[in-house]
Amino acid sequence: MNAPVSIANFINVIIAVAMVIRLSAHYRHNGGKPLKRFVWFYVSFSIFWLLWAMPEIFITDPYGVMATNIMGYVMLYITSAIMVQIPFLFSGNKTIGIMLATIIIIAGIIFLEERLSNLQPHIREVVGNRVFWRPVFAPWLRIMTGAAGGLAALTASISFYYFGWRERANRIVFMRSIYLGAGNTMILLGALASFVLSPTASFVGVFAGSIFGAIGLFIMMHGVLHETRQQQTTKITT
């Protein structure tokens, strides 16, 4: 038996932890509050994926799977609240970021209250040699989660694309902004595929969301580190 979604999430954990290490080193060398938020964003995403990688790989008890799934949702809301604030650290409008993060946190509290009021365990579905643990709760909660994550990703995407267009004369800032915007666009697609378009948590939707999320984080890291690589390239060529 194999669990493709859990395996994909576990691979994402390894990738995300590697990104955390790389970004942490970059932060220690350069500092900066936005970069620190990026580090926390990746740490939070790493914990989220670790929790969602546990079914079948580490845990096979339905209630244990349910518990790690709920904790994973909590981390997902925290991750979204962190991400939505980052663009406004660059623009100086931190109040707007805090307001959007508050909306996401409120949605997370609603999700947690509703989920804890109906603690139905996950269902273990077996198709051939493939295992998938399907959560059992109201579809609107998943849609709300997708909307919260989508709000964060869409806000960040639009903001970074705008920053890139505004500073298009500065190639370093332009490329960094485009990478960050594109990465958030991939995360937006992941939120739509995994939650909004798959309110019943279908295997295809959840698996696609995991892949889109991993690609998005990789592209974003490329953007965060773009200036450093550009400087290194310049030193080599000069």
Side-chain angles (χ1 to χ4, degrees), residues 61-115:
D61 175 70
Y63 286 95
V65 172
M66 176 195 68
T68 56
N69 181 263
I70 293 174
M71 288 187 287
Y73 271 104
V74 172
M75 292 308 304
L76 187 57
Y77 276 100
I78 292 174
T79 301
S80 299
I82 293 173
M83 184 65 243
V84 79
Q85 297 180 70
I86 293 178
F88 300 100
L89 295 177
F90 289 99
S91 67
N93 298 319
K94 292 188 291 185
T95 302
I96 299 176
I98 293 173
M99 290 174 59
L100 292 174
T102 301
I103 293 173
I104 292 173
I105 292 299
I106 291 174
I109 293 172
I110 293 173
F111 175 91
L112 189 59
E113 289 180 346
E114 290 292 328
R115 189 68 181 93

Side-chain angles (χ1 to χ4, degrees), residues 153-154 156-158 161 178-192 212 216 220:
L154 181 62
S157 295
I158 293 175
Y161 284 139
I178 294 302
Y179 280 128
L180 291 172
N184 276 283
T185 299
M186 295 301 294
I187 292 176
L188 172 62
L189 293 176
L192 293 175
F212 276 126
M220 284 176 60

Side-chain angles (χ1 to χ4, degrees), residues 40-202:
W40 281 113
F41 169 74
Y42 276 85
V43 169
S44 182
F45 235 131
S46 299
I47 297 172
F48 157 71
W49 265 326
L50 177 61
L51 290 166
W52 276 22
M54 289 187 175
E56 202 64 29
I57 297 178
F58 303 105
I59 300 174
T60 56
D61 175 70
Y63 286 95
V65 172
M66 176 195 68
T68 56
N69 181 263
I70 293 174
M71 288 187 287
Y73 271 104
V74 172
M75 292 308 304
L76 187 57
Y77 276 100
I78 292 174
T79 301
S80 299
I82 293 173
M83 184 65 243
V84 79
Q85 297 180 70
I86 293 178
F88 300 100
L89 295 177
F90 289 99
S91 67
N93 298 319
K94 292 188 291 185
T95 302
I96 299 176
I98 293 173
M99 290 174 59
L100 292 174
T102 301
I103 293 173
I104 292 173
I105 292 299
I106 291 174
I109 293 172
I110 293 173
F111 175 91
L112 189 59
E113 289 180 346
E114 290 292 328
R115 189 68 181 93
L116 293 178
S117 67
N118 183 25
L119 291 175
Q120 294 189 47
H122 279 47
I123 297 175
R124 187 175 186 266
E125 297 182 349
V126 180
V127 180
N129 66 339
R130 188 188 74 196
V131 177
F132 175 62
W133 286 87
R134 184 187 297 276
V136 182
F137 57 87
W140 71 268
L141 290 175
R142 285 184 56 82
I143 294 175
M144 182 177 68
T145 301
L151 171 63
L154 181 62
T155 300
S157 295
I158 293 175
S159 298
F160 285 120
Y161 284 139
Y162 170 71
F163 295 156
W165 176 82
R166 187 184 63 186
E167 303 293 335
R168 57 192 181 277
N170 185 326
R171 181 167 177 77
I172 291 178
V173 175
F174 174 76
M175 291 304 301
R176 181 176 60 196
S177 299
I178 294 302
Y179 280 128
L180 291 172
N184 276 283
T185 299
M186 295 301 294
I187 292 176
L188 172 62
L189 293 176
L192 293 175
S194 185
F195 301 106
V196 178
L197 299 180
S198 181
T200 58
S202 68

Side-chain angles (χ1 to χ4, degrees), residues 196-215:
V196 178
L197 299 180
S198 181
T200 58
S202 68
F203 166 78
V204 174
V206 174
F207 187 75
S210 180
I211 300 301
F212 276 126
I215 295 173

